[in-house]
Amino acid sequence: WSSDVCSSDLAYYNFMAPQPGSVIVDMGSGIGEHGAYFSAFDPTLVTINIVNDETLIEKMISLGRHCIHTSYTDTKLPDESVDIVMFNESLGYEALDDSFREASRILRDNGEVVIKDFSITDPKLNAFKLDKWGYSIRKDYDIIKIGRAHV
């Protein structure tokens, strides 16, 4: 790992401050880099990577990462089974209501949702759609408003 990646992931890990043995679900996890770094910082953590892309699943399996091939709006995980749900630049691929509904369903009492994503700062824009990626970037207060509706 490069020192830049390691230091930024350590800062992210420290911000999240997971308890030992926490179950973390990375919604739309790419190839599960964050979970791998977090496990290096604390081997007692369990990270489950949710991704709906066959190529990424194959890569994660080859790297020995725990992954589920499904949408993060329907993870198939049991109710109240997770301590932390994180969205790492993935929240814009699905409808916010569906994403937060699923996160709320799988989180234990006092669980946390952590979002590391893009946000619109231009006051004239409400959303920005990246058609090539199928990604929507929204204002931070819209994300917070919809997230609060599912608490």
Side-chain angles (χ1 to χ4, degrees):
W1 300 328
S2 75
S3 60
D4 288 340
V5 172
C6 192
S7 65
S8 66
D9 276 299
L10 180 57
Y12 189 29
Y13 169 83
N14 288 333
F15 169 78
M16 287 178 44
Q19 297 299 307
S22 290
V23 177
I24 302 170
V25 171
D26 189 346
M27 302 286 219
S29 63
I31 60 168
E33 303 97 333
H34 291 297
Y37 290 127
F38 294 170
S39 291
F41 303 139
D42 180 352
T44 71
L45 299 176
V46 175
T47 301
I48 303 168
N49 299 289
I50 304 293
V51 68
N52 199 11
D53 181 295
E54 189 64 39
T55 304
L56 295 176
I57 289 289
E58 289 173 13
K59 179 68 173 175
M60 280 192 277
I61 290 170
S62 75
L63 294 169
R65 296 178 181 161
H66 185 179
C67 54
I68 299 175
H69 186 184
T70 190
S71 166
Y72 56 81
T73 60
D74 183 21
T75 64
K76 313 290 191 244
L77 294 170
D79 293 353
E80 300 178 14
S81 59
V82 172
D83 300 296
I84 299 171
V85 170
M86 58 182 181
F87 292 94
N88 298 302
E89 298 172 6
S90 60
L91 195 56
Y93 287 113
E94 300 284 352
L96 287 177
D97 276 323
D98 295 340
S99 300
F100 284 118
R101 186 177 299 110
E102 182 65 3
S104 179
R105 184 188 69 75
I106 64 174
L107 277 171
R108 293 183 176 128
D109 287 343
N110 298 314
E112 297 179 345
V113 173
V114 178
I115 301 168
K116 182 175 77 70
D117 214 312
F118 309 102
S119 180
I120 293 177
T121 57
D122 185 334
K124 298 176 200 147
L125 295 175
N126 289 325
F128 183 77
K129 186 131 179 93
L130 300 173
D131 290 329
K132 186 175 180 180
W133 291 359
Y135 200 90
S136 296
I137 301 173
R138 301 167 181 97
K139 292 207 179 254
D140 54 358
Y141 58 76
D142 287 336
I143 294 169
I144 293 167
K145 177 181 166 188
I146 292 170
R148 284 184 176 157
H150 293 281
V151 174

